[in-house]
Amino acid sequence: MTAPPLVAPPREKTRVPLTSRVPSRFLPVIATFVVFVLTFGAGSIRYEGFATGQVVANLFIDNAFLIVVAVGMTFVILTGGIDLSVGSVVALSTMIAAATLRAGWPAWLVILAVLATGALLGLGMGVMVHRFGVQPFIATLAGMFLARGLCFVISVESVSIKDGTFRDIALASIELPGEVAITYGVVIALIVVAVAAYVLHLTRFGRTVYAVGGSESSATLMGLRTGRVKVGVYVISGFCSALGGLLFSFYMLSGYSLHAVGLELDAIAAVVVGGTLLAGGVGYVVGSVVGVLVLGTVQTLISFEGTLSSWWTKIVIGVLLLAFIALQRLIVRRQPVK
Amino acid sequence: MTRSRLLWPLLALVALLLLNLVFTPSFFALRIQDGHLFGSLVDILRNGAPTLLIALGMTLVIATRGIDLSVGAVAAIAGAVTCTHIATTGDAIGGMALALGLCAVLGLWNGFLVSVIGIQPIIATLVLMTAGRGMAMLVTEGQIVTVNNDVFAKVGAGFLVLPIAILISLAVLAGVALLTRRTALGMLIEAVGVNPEASRLAGVRSRTIIWTVYVFSALCAGVAGLMIASNVNAADANNAGLWIEMDAILAVVIGGTSLAGGRYSLTGTLIGALVIQTLTTTVYTIGVPPETTLVFKAAVVIVVCLLQAPRLTRTFRVPVPQKAGA
Amino acid sequence: MLADERSAPSDTAPLVELQGITVTFPGVKALDEVDFRLLPGEVHALLGENGAGKSTLIKALTGVHATDAGEIRLAGVPVSFHGPAQAQDAGISTVYQEVNLCTNLSVAENILLGREPRRFGAIDGRAMRARAAELLSRIGLHIDPGSALGSHPIAVQQLVAIARAVAVDARVLILDEPTSSLDAGEVAELFRIVRVLRDEGVAILFVSHFLDQVYEIADRLTVLRNGKVVGEYATAKVGRLELVRAMIGRDLTVLDEVERRSERRVPSEEPLLRAENLGRAGSIAPFDLELHPGEVVGVAGLLGSGRTELARLLFGADRADSGHVYFDGKILKLRGPRSAIAHGIAFTSEDRKAEGLVADLTVRDNLILAMQAARGWARQVPRRTADELVAKYVEALDIRPADADAVVGTLSGGNQQKVLLARWLVTRPKLLILDEPTRGIDVGAKAQIQKVVADLAAEGMAVVFISAELEEVVRVSDRVVVLRDRRKIAEVSGTEVTVDDVVALIAGEAEKVPS
């Protein structure tokens, strides 16, 4: 009947060997990264011209908007919620941008209007979830319908973007050493990731996000402002979707109601594959970024293969989802009794 | 209790129908032509048939505290398998049987992930939602498979006084109502949804129950998929049943069944599905661009959900009980 | 022991003073004019059985429940908190039985979140870990503040919760059953920390039902029963016997209908169920037990002594990790409730709401649930049979309202309990395990349930009867199993058994009767 010694003899604090701390917390992210390296490696062995810097850069260029959207989704999922509206908000953003630019608004005002709209939609959903106890699934489903519907109200047709500023930003490329070029979209996406990581890990708001996901009632009893956080994450997700929508409109140079259909699934898949628990409380934005890259690589691989049809992408994503959910369950089970 | 839950959706339905009547005085008119019944109301029922079917399956899934996101993809698979089979062999019955058999397997898969592995329903079915459409496209090899088969065409577009699609979905509604009333399934589903632990201690086989509802949901989705494909005589793996899971979930929620599980109402689901379909029809009749239906849909969802929201009810209707003793 | 000197600190002004506190819930007075004093630098134990009002008192003090009458004074100043956060700001921290922290965050964050050190607006991780390490070392806990809380055992999490409470410069620390999931070594560690804090002048309110622990740590104690203060004692001056009596009370609602079973049955040779060395780590130590047909076996012990755990093992609700169960002479593998039910074992949980009733369903559905579950979903209990059963048991057990379609959640506690009992009776079990079937129900319903138990035994059913009220256990049972600290310590039988005997056994002051 000897108890495990609670008080270990005073040992050197904080400097615990890395191996004992890293695995359970970072394992999912590491696993995702390994999958990314493996898929990419497979591609580079199989196809000539795959393992070039530009292919990597293109992964970022093609998926910059998805990275931004996935970052917002990560916030929501970390609190244990879900945001189904992101794809529609992206489409709405491209639509508002294209329409207001056509109406002659200056680019800065357009950008401001788009971002404000996204944040406002997010606020509305957050209030529904927090104040009125509507389930996140239903509240954001309503948001999804609303945003997609508003697109159609603005225009049923695709509206192309001819504004000089937008085109300049869209077409400009930044030369990196090694004959690799990226777009401003990539830079913005990376800044968003950095800011998100900062907020999540170094601010009280961010830590409260994790606390709410871990146990909302505990967080409340600890005196944390859970209400503000629960609404806040939807605002952030709305904002990120709007920003993602701007990047998407740079990428497509058009606004269209049917842009980004099903994007919410890609974003959720990226977040889950990136190691974030859908139950909330565990995960990293960096994981979501790697998740996006894995999805992007699968897509690139399949397009390189040529003979493989694009629908394989969906099946592969489904299988990846399953694999990572299984992995997470294993990790959760291995943890000591709650 | 049940009556008050159905009040708001019923009012919404009546309001929508009256709105139609204002814009189109002949809205309620029915006529018989060649032994077939025609009219706006029939159209609403016919167009709403697939959603209703899927919503019925979804109701039972939601009653067990679950959710099934994969129904749209399953519907697409059913259409794809049937049409491909018909295109190659010309055998409609065999194709439909094959499709429904496959749907049952997919339902087993969902049920396995949820009840045996213990994955949250929303993620467990997300897997098939994502991969399923890819599988449908694999079956059709990415093409839209068109078929020309009289038997198959009847499922979605045939008439037996009323459109056959309506008859099928009403038959399923009646069947489910009967099945859940005449067997203990309904009661056990509710017991598992309301209090899983108490049900376990009372010896309820919750695993079997959960498995059953997911299989049923997939079968409903399969039949709906057949209707959708039959209606256009083609299997479109990309767009068949797209977002129908969302409509179905909405129908269930509008019908007063809580996503938290427990008491469910098939009548409520019927009303919910009708509200959604009538809304779409209304938008057409009153001359608003049809694409904006979604905005109205969102408005209805928000209003109905807020009216049913527990917190709102608590805030505005029920006096605070704790002060009673003071 | 310093307890003696500490017991009469009449010169010390109380830090917390409750006067005439009354809290009313619909239909119940949870607290009835309670007076309570907590002095600085003392450990004050709060004792009482389930429903005595311990947690209500804590919640009234920390502003979770509003009070209907009375005054709360903190250091002489009248206060009124609206929620635990306000109480915390005033220096009253609570550590709950279930650790209310976030296991997914680091130890340091759990201690300091909400008031973490910041630099240029960002959380200063290094400073936070340093501060956390400092607080941890104050209570003598040397763990890595950067490690995830979930990677530590519950006991350590509990200590971290205390570290968090200390970090707010708590003047008053409430420990709500902190030891119920700890083993002996862990408890010792917790107490060491409690003493450190006490010596620093913190007033500590310690809620526990482990008498040994109370005697070890508490300077003074207050006993509550049915929402009222039974007495305030200096620990050193009160005997265990007296204490147990105060807690359990002599509820003189002796009910004429249930005469004490004068005729003790001679158990038949063959036991219906025989448990050998049955146990589960962390839940109840391995025990032997025989149950005979037609016999009522009472289980007595204080809250947390392993009463419920014993019942759950016999039913298979929890899996045993040692020992065997023989049923009707054959070994019985209990894989879960279903296998127990199939053999004719029935169990009603003490937690009616969470583990018994399906609140949203009707009386009829709840009543036939177990029978229906055994038949499978395809073979519905015919409506007529169901109605007959409902009518029969509504009458036999006097369930009110006598309406098969009433939603069970709307019934009173006693009637809910009767429905639960009826649920199992319709399955005609051979063994009926009742865990606190009379808790929280009115006297009339209690008597009825006791009578039913006696009748069932007379018909040949074996019954295990668990209750916190010893009067009741002794009156109803042919044999009483006594538990203490998650261990079966004795088994007494015969007409001569009195409540006092059992009290003595529970208090650990009597000769142990070998089982």
Side-chain angles (χ1 to χ4, degrees):
Chain A
M1 290 301 289
T2 46
L6 282 182
V7 187
R11 58 182 173 189
E12 72 285 29
K13 289 165 207 164
T14 60
R15 289 286 156 222
V16 177
L18 271 179
T19 43
S20 76
R21 251 175 66 193
V22 167
S24 81
R25 276 207 279 167
F26 295 111
L27 198 63
V29 181
I30 292 169
T32 314
F33 194 75
V34 168
V35 169
F36 170 61
V37 170
L38 283 181
T39 38
F40 203 86
S44 42
I45 291 167
R46 205 177 153 107
Y47 310 109
E48 205 153 311
F50 194 92
T52 63
Q54 194 56 48
V55 169
V56 178
N58 283 346
L59 269 183
F60 279 95
I61 292 171
D62 297 341
N63 293 299
F65 70 97
L66 184 54
I67 290 177
V68 174
V69 171
V71 164
M73 182 73 81
T74 310
F75 274 85
V76 176
I77 290 183
L78 277 175
T79 64
I82 199 151
D83 189 350
L84 297 178
S85 72
V86 292
S88 303
V89 175
V90 164
L92 179 62
S93 303
T94 67
M95 209 65 216
I96 292 178
T100 51
L101 286 171
R102 192 174 54 179
W105 291 28
W108 65 267
L109 189 60
V110 169
I111 292 174
L112 216 63
V114 166
L115 295 179
T117 311
L120 201 67
L121 278 170
L123 180 67
M125 292 183 279
V127 168
M128 271 177 85
V129 169
H130 178 64
R131 294 284 305 166
F132 298 109
V134 178
Q135 266 152 329
F137 191 90
I138 294 297
T140 58
L141 186 58
M144 167 183 173
F145 285 158
L146 182 65
R148 192 69 74 177
L150 287 175
C151 289
F152 287 112
V153 172
I154 295 172
S155 168
V156 180
E157 304 295 320
S158 169
V159 181
S160 66
I161 293 174
K162 301 198 176 69
D163 176 81
T165 321
F166 262 59
R167 291 201 156 246
D168 288 349
I169 299 175
L171 300 176
S173 67
I174 304 163
E175 299 291 334
L176 295 180
E179 292 181 30
V180 174
I182 55 169
T183 58
Y184 278 106
V186 176
V187 178
I188 293 171
L190 293 179
I191 291 173
V192 168
V193 172
V195 171
Y198 173 87
V199 169
L200 277 179
H201 296 287
L202 292 175
T203 67
R204 185 179 294 174
F205 180 89
R207 299 320 292 169
T208 308
V209 167
Y210 280 91
V212 168
S215 164
E216 193 183 333
S217 62
S218 291
T220 310
L221 278 176
M222 284 162 84
L224 302 175
R225 302 173 74 171
T226 49
R228 218 175 55 156
V229 162
K230 274 178 74 189
V231 177
V233 290
Y234 290 94
V235 175
I236 288 174
S237 181
F239 178 87
C240 283
S241 304
L243 185 58
L246 284 175
L247 298 187
F248 199 68
S249 51
F250 291 145
Y251 187 69
M252 304 296 284
L253 281 176
S254 70
Y256 185 32
S257 309
L258 292 179
H259 272 333
V261 169
L263 183 73
E264 52 279 344
L265 294 187
D266 291 341
I268 294 171
V271 172
V272 172
V273 169
T276 300
L277 280 183
L278 263 135
V282 178
Y284 301 94
V285 267
V286 177
S288 303
V289 174
V290 183
V292 171
L293 293 182
V294 168
L295 301 193
T297 312
V298 169
Q299 227 152 15
T300 313
L301 264 176
I302 283 166
S303 71
F304 260 72
E305 181 68 44
T307 57
L308 263 183
S309 330
S310 63
W311 53 79
W312 274 105
T313 320
K314 297 194 171 191
I315 296 179
V316 172
I317 292 176
V319 171
L320 277 177
L321 261 178
L322 187 65
F324 278 91
I325 293 164
L327 177 73
Q328 287 180 353
R329 282 204 64 82
L330 277 178
I331 292 169
V332 170
R333 280 217 183 129
R334 259 196 354 204
Q335 264 167 17
V337 276
K338 56 174 183 126
Chain B
M1 187 70 194
T2 319
R3 218 156 281 149
S4 70
R5 274 196 296 179
L6 293 184
L7 183 66
W8 291 111
L10 209 54
L11 279 181
L13 182 60
V14 170
L16 282 172
L17 290 173
L18 289 180
L19 190 66
N20 277 294
L21 196 63
V22 170
F23 277 83
T24 333
S26 64
F27 190 75
F28 288 168
L30 297 172
R31 64 202 156 79
I32 293 190
Q33 197 178 336
D34 307 333
H36 299 168
L37 198 61
F38 287 99
S40 305
L41 294 179
V42 176
D43 287 345
I44 290 177
L45 276 172
R46 197 181 78 149
N47 295 332
T51 313
L52 173 59
L53 257 183
I54 290 181
L56 288 175
M58 189 72 77
T59 308
L60 298 189
V61 171
I62 287 178
T64 64
R65 293 193 176 181
I67 200 156
D68 189 350
L69 295 181
S70 70
V71 284
V74 172
I77 291 176
V81 167
T82 311
C83 288
T84 314
H85 188 79
I86 293 174
T88 48
T89 68
D91 171 18
I93 303 292
M96 289 192 272
L98 188 67
L100 292 183
L102 185 60
C103 290
V105 172
L106 294 173
L108 282 174
W109 165 255
N110 280 334
F112 170 75
L113 289 184
V114 173
S115 72
V116 181
I117 310 285
I119 298 174
Q120 280 169 280
I122 189 170
I123 321 173
T125 54
L126 181 67
V127 171
L128 192 54
M129 182 191 193
T130 314
R133 229 161 251 290
M135 285 158 65
M137 282 194 263
L138 204 63
V139 172
T140 62
E141 296 180 331
Q143 310 295 316
I144 294 181
V145 181
T146 52
V147 291
N148 193 358
N149 181 299
D150 288 344
V151 178
F152 185 56
K154 287 241 178 335
V155 174
F159 269 91
L160 210 87
V161 182
L162 279 172
I164 287 177
I166 297 181
L167 297 178
I168 291 178
S169 57
L170 291 183
V172 172
L173 173 63
V176 183
L178 216 61
L179 186 72
T180 49
R181 291 267 171 76
R182 284 298 163 88
T183 71
L185 193 59
M187 192 259 272
L188 294 179
I189 285 173
E190 287 187 340
V192 169
V194 175
N195 194 336
E197 181 58 15
S199 305
R200 184 180 84 93
L201 289 178
V204 177
R205 280 182 202 272
S206 45
R207 200 174 270 188
T208 318
I209 301 280
I210 289 172
W211 227 326
T212 312
V213 296
Y214 280 95
V215 171
F216 177 67
S217 171
L219 282 175
C220 283
V223 177
L226 296 183
M227 278 181 197
I228 294 166
S230 153
N231 209 11
V232 293
N233 280 315
D236 180 352
N238 252 327
N239 297 310
L242 195 61
W243 307 131
I244 202 165
E245 58 275 346
M246 303 301 172
D247 276 351
I249 293 168
L250 282 184
V252 175
V253 171
I254 289 176
T257 301
S258 159
L259 278 186
R263 295 314 293 261
Y264 65 88
S265 164
L266 293 173
T267 323
T269 299
L270 172 66
I271 296 173
L274 289 179
V275 166
I276 289 176
Q277 193 54 47
T278 312
L279 188 69
T280 315
T281 312
T282 310
V283 169
Y284 278 96
T285 19
I286 65 175
V288 182
E291 292 82 0
T292 55
T293 317
L294 285 172
V295 178
F296 294 97
K297 219 186 248 182
V300 170
V301 176
I302 293 172
V303 170
V304 173
C305 283
L306 288 188
L307 285 174
Q308 292 174 342
R311 300 229 177 120
L312 197 74
T313 319
R314 225 179 296 142
T315 322
F316 295 114
R317 289 198 210 138
V318 187
V320 186
Q322 272 167 347
K323 298 287 167 198
Chain C
M1 278 273 175
L2 289 169
D4 222 352
E5 317 163 16
R6 290 174 172 275
S7 60
S10 51
D11 52 331
T12 326
L15 188 54
V16 176
E17 202 171 2
L18 273 60
Q19 223 166 43
I21 292 293
T22 301
V23 174
T24 320
F25 295 130
V28 212
K29 264 195 176 169
L31 286 182
D32 192 0
E33 303 207 353
V34 166
D35 296 334
F36 175 76
R37 297 179 306 137
L38 184 61
L39 311 177
E42 75 163 343
V43 177
H44 192 125
L46 190 59
L47 295 167
E49 277 288 306
N50 268 328
K54 290 172 301 189
S55 54
T56 313
L57 189 144
I58 291 173
K59 285 177 177 162
L61 176 56
T62 53
V64 178
H65 289 326
T67 55
D68 296 310
E71 194 177 58
I72 301 173
R73 282 192 295 273
L74 181 62
V77 185
V79 287
S80 163
F81 302 121
H82 301 281
Q86 274 186 23
Q88 216 174 75
D89 290 342
I92 303 180
S93 284
T94 312
V95 175
Y96 299 92
Q97 180 180 6
E98 314 92 53
V99 183
N100 277 292
L101 295 176
C102 298
T103 47
N104 58 326
L105 299 180
S106 75
V107 170
E109 283 174 329
N110 271 298
I111 296 174
L112 289 166
L113 207 54
R115 46 183 171 273
E116 59 284 310
R118 287 192 274 192
R119 215 167 55 161
F120 311 120
I123 293 175
D124 186 342
R126 183 170 302 180
M128 182 156 79
R129 281 192 294 276
R131 172 101 181 96
E134 191 184 309
L135 287 162
L136 285 171
S137 71
R138 177 175 163 198
I139 61 168
L141 189 62
H142 297 282
I143 54 172
D144 176 14
S147 56
L149 184 72
S151 66
H152 298 288
I154 291 282
V156 172
Q157 296 184 20
Q158 199 101 54
L159 299 180
V160 170
I162 292 178
R164 179 179 175 87
V166 171
V168 289
D169 292 320
R171 288 185 287 170
V172 178
L173 179 61
I174 301 172
L175 301 173
D176 188 0
E177 298 189 16
T179 57
S180 39
S181 45
L182 310 189
D183 66 27
E186 293 165 341
V187 170
E189 179 61 21
L190 176 81
F191 282 179
R192 190 185 57 69
I193 291 165
V194 167
R195 286 193 192 98
V196 168
L197 294 174
R198 177 191 66 190
D199 294 342
E200 287 175 10
V202 178
I204 293 159
L205 179 56
F206 177 70
V207 180
S208 175
H209 38 257
F210 295 112
L211 288 192
D212 289 345
Q213 293 175 7
V214 167
Y215 273 98
E216 185 185 341
I217 191 79
D219 303 310
R220 293 193 309 138
L221 43 89
T222 294
V223 177
L224 289 177
R225 194 172 73 235
N226 295 332
K228 290 187 180 142
V229 174
V230 179
E232 191 187 294
Y233 311 87
T235 313
K237 290 181 182 161
V238 61
R240 285 175 184 238
L241 216 51
E242 191 184 343
L243 198 56
V244 172
R245 250 188 222 126
M247 286 165 66
I248 293 170
R250 307 296 299 256
D251 234 5
L252 293 177
T253 51
V254 181
L255 308 142
D256 300 333
E257 296 150 75
V258 190
E259 283 297 308
R260 177 168 177 161
R261 304 192 64 192
S262 49
E263 232 182 287
R264 298 286 162 174
R265 284 181 166 247
V266 183
S268 49
E269 282 298 301
E270 274 305 300
L272 175 68
L273 179 144
R274 187 156 58 87
E276 253 179 27
N277 207 30
L278 194 66
R280 180 180 157 92
S283 156
I284 186 163
F287 63 91
D288 295 338
L289 184 65
E290 282 189 2
L291 303 171
H292 299 267
E295 185 190 33
V296 180
V297 174
V299 177
L302 294 177
L303 187 67
S305 58
R307 302 184 306 220
T308 298
E309 289 77 0
L310 179 138
R312 289 179 67 92
L313 281 190
L314 289 178
F315 184 61
D318 294 330
R319 283 214 205 176
D321 53 15
S322 76
H324 299 285
V325 175
Y326 297 89
F327 197 79
D328 267 345
K330 286 189 285 282
I331 195 154
L332 172 59
K333 276 247 177 271
L334 285 172
R335 265 180 246 98
R338 280 191 66 82
S339 54
I341 294 166
H343 284 86
I345 304 178
F347 165 70
T348 66
S349 163
E350 55 165 348
D351 194 342
R352 275 196 299 274
K353 245 186 216 137
E355 298 180 348
L357 295 159
V358 182
D360 291 351
L361 296 190
T362 60
V363 168
R364 180 191 299 108
D365 288 347
N366 270 283
L367 204 141
I368 61 169
L369 184 62
M371 183 189 229
Q372 185 65 67
R375 291 167 68 107
W377 65 265
R379 296 196 306 133
Q380 187 175 31
V381 177
R383 180 61 175 242
R384 185 182 296 174
T385 315
D387 283 338
E388 279 168 14
L389 286 172
V390 172
K392 177 178 165 194
Y393 284 100
V394 161
E395 210 207 309
L397 302 180
D398 190 26
I399 295 171
R400 292 178 210 185
D403 175 9
D405 291 308
V407 173
V408 100
T410 62
L411 267 56
S412 74
N415 285 301
Q416 291 186 349
Q417 190 64 49
K418 291 180 198 166
V419 171
L420 206 51
L421 191 58
R423 172 192 291 174
W424 291 112
L425 296 186
V426 300
T427 66
R428 305 181 172 278
K430 294 180 192 162
L431 169 61
L432 181 61
I433 305 169
L434 302 173
D435 191 0
E436 297 228 35
T438 58
R439 187 210 287 181
I441 69 180
D442 62 81
V443 176
K446 251 181 212 179
Q448 286 168 334
I449 286 177
Q450 291 170 8
K451 182 151 185 338
V452 170
V453 167
D455 293 348
L456 291 172
E459 286 168 23
M461 197 182 289
V463 181
V464 173
F465 188 92
I466 302 174
S467 173
E469 288 177 40
L470 290 186
E471 293 276 354
E472 185 180 63
V473 174
V474 169
R475 192 167 55 236
V476 173
S477 315
D478 299 309
R479 195 147 51 94
V480 178
V481 170
V482 183
L483 301 177
R484 190 176 66 209
D485 294 343
R486 301 177 185 280
R487 192 172 288 283
K488 178 181 167 188
I489 54 164
E491 204 174 295
V492 289
S493 59
T495 35
E496 72 284 0
V497 177
T498 63
V499 172
D500 288 340
D501 298 340
V502 179
V503 167
L505 281 167
I506 291 174
E509 287 186 350
E511 278 286 297
K512 281 179 193 176
V513 183
S515 49

